[in-house]
Amino acid sequence: MDIPFEEGMLSPNTADMRPEPPNSLDLNGTHPQRVKLTAPNISLSLDQSEGSVLSDDNLDSPDEIDINVDELDTPDEADSFEYTGHENPPANKDSGQESESIPEYTAEEEREDNRLWRTVVIGEQEQRIDMKVIEPYRRVISHGGYYGDGLNAIIVFAACFLPDSNRADYHYVMENLFLYVISTLELMVAEDYMIVYLNGATPRRKMPGLGWMKKCYQMIDRRLRKNLKSFIIVHPSWFIRTILAVTRPFISSKFSSKIKYVSSLSELSGLIPMDCIHIPESII
């Protein structure tokens, strides 16, 4: 039999080299050296003569076993785990309210969540628009009816509905709003069209940056750039004039020739029909 060999485990006074019970357990995961011992010759008689299994020398009293029970890992503490998946959570006695369960995700909510995102194709690339974050700013672009003969659309862009640049997620909102404006423009325009840019009642913090306007121009499809007949800016400020002057190197001369400045709504009404154009109250 293999018995762990440790110092003090064998009693020198025992004639048959019988190992004494260990006085402690190895809880540190160490592996002591082992030594093979030869079992002594014992008598199987039922008397209590010397060498018998019933001899007093071979009977150990409970007092001689020194095991610290407090240091043992019981199954409840070390070798088991609790599974509470099918148990009811205890009630909160302090608040008197039961814990609420997680609400189910219904089919209607799933359809509503899908409507919060719109997938569009711009420049032969598929893009996703966060419709929820741009919901307050969708009025920035609208259809203003038609002018002349045919399907010559009037696209109205109201800068007063742009988000405030003080928002923490301003760049994220403008990125999604940019995709929305470009995709909406492609849906509204069939043939020739014009853009009416309402610049009035727009504070400086809501004005789009130079990079945003340059990106809009570059992302517009070639067909849309070609079919654009006029770009009318109503109530132009010194800032918007400066922006356009700076961007001239990045835009074509044909596009620059399409830009017109209008100082009042009455002047605008002399150029295009105003029946279907929505003018915000702040601009009026």
Side-chain angles (χ1 to χ4, degrees):
M1 55 185 295
D2 294 340
I3 300 177
F5 179 78
E6 295 180 358
E7 183 180 359
M9 181 171 291
L10 298 179
S11 174
N13 297 327
T14 306
D16 55 2
M17 300 296 291
R18 178 178 47 83
E20 291 184 356
N23 57 5
S24 63
L25 293 182
D26 185 8
L27 302 181
N28 297 324
T30 59
H31 300 280
Q33 297 180 355
R34 297 176 180 270
V35 61
K36 181 176 290 187
L37 301 179
T38 303
N41 296 328
I42 59 176
S43 175
L44 298 180
S45 61
L46 299 180
D47 57 1
Q48 297 185 3
S49 61
E50 184 179 359
S52 172
V53 294
L54 298 181
S55 174
D56 294 337
D57 295 335
N58 293 326
L59 293 178
D60 294 324
S61 62
D63 296 334
E64 295 177 359
I65 301 177
D66 183 14
I67 299 177
N68 191 349
V69 181
D70 294 336
E71 295 180 359
L72 296 179
D73 288 337
T74 63
D76 293 338
E77 298 174 352
D79 300 332
S80 65
F81 63 92
E82 295 182 5
Y83 179 73
T84 58
H86 299 284
E87 296 181 0
N88 295 327
N92 190 347
K93 296 181 180 181
D94 296 336
S95 61
Q97 298 178 355
E98 297 182 355
S99 60
E100 298 181 358
S101 60
I102 300 177
E104 296 183 358
Y105 195 57
T106 63
E108 179 63 26
E109 291 174 340
E110 185 175 358
R111 287 192 296 269
E112 181 65 23
D113 184 64
N114 291 333
R115 285 194 292 267
L116 298 178
W117 291 87
R118 176 184 296 179
T119 302
V120 297
V121 178
I122 300 177
E124 299 181 356
Q125 292 184 356
E126 189 175 273
Q127 306 282 352
R128 296 193 69 194
I129 305 176
D130 189 345
M131 300 300 295
K132 183 178 180 180
V133 75
I134 68 170
E135 179 63 30
Y137 314 109
R138 292 176 60 179
R139 294 179 296 171
V140 71
I141 186 172
S142 60
H143 199 292
Y146 300 91
Y147 72 98
D149 299 332
L151 299 177
N152 301 325
I154 301 175
I155 308 300
V156 180
F157 190 95
C160 60
F161 293 132
L162 287 171
D164 198 316
S165 59
N166 292 332
R167 286 184 56 124
D169 57 348
Y170 176 75
H171 295 288
Y172 177 77
V173 175
M174 290 296 288
E175 181 70 20
N176 284 271
L177 189 59
F178 159 76
L179 296 175
Y180 173 76
V181 170
I182 298 299
S183 59
T184 304
L185 191 62
E186 292 182 348
L187 293 175
M188 290 181 176
V189 173
E191 297 181 4
D192 294 344
Y193 71 103
M194 71 166 55
I195 294 179
V196 177
Y197 185 90
L198 302 177
N199 188 64
T202 304
R204 173 66 185 86
R205 65 180 184 275
K206 288 189 175 184
M207 290 295 299
L210 176 61
W212 191 85
M213 298 180 67
K214 178 182 176 182
K215 188 176 181 180
C216 283
Y217 174 78
Q218 293 175 342
M219 290 293 292
I220 291 178
D221 186 76
R222 183 178 180 275
R223 176 185 66 89
L224 295 177
R225 279 192 250 178
K226 181 180 179 181
N227 292 344
L228 178 63
K229 299 305 178 183
S230 181
F231 190 88
I232 302 176
I233 301 178
V234 184
H235 301 130
S237 61
W238 67 268
F239 178 79
I240 198 67
R241 290 177 183 268
T242 303
I243 288 293
L244 292 176
V246 173
T247 56
R248 283 187 182 276
F250 306 106
I251 60 179
S252 63
S253 58
K254 291 183 179 180
F255 183 82
S256 299
S257 62
K258 299 175 183 180
I259 299 176
K260 298 180 180 179
Y261 295 107
V262 174
S263 59
S264 63
L265 294 178
S266 59
E267 185 180 352
L268 178 65
S269 61
L271 299 176
I272 59 173
M274 300 286 292
D275 299 338
C276 299
I277 296 180
H278 173 68
I279 306 297
E281 291 294 333
S282 58
I283 294 180
I284 296 176

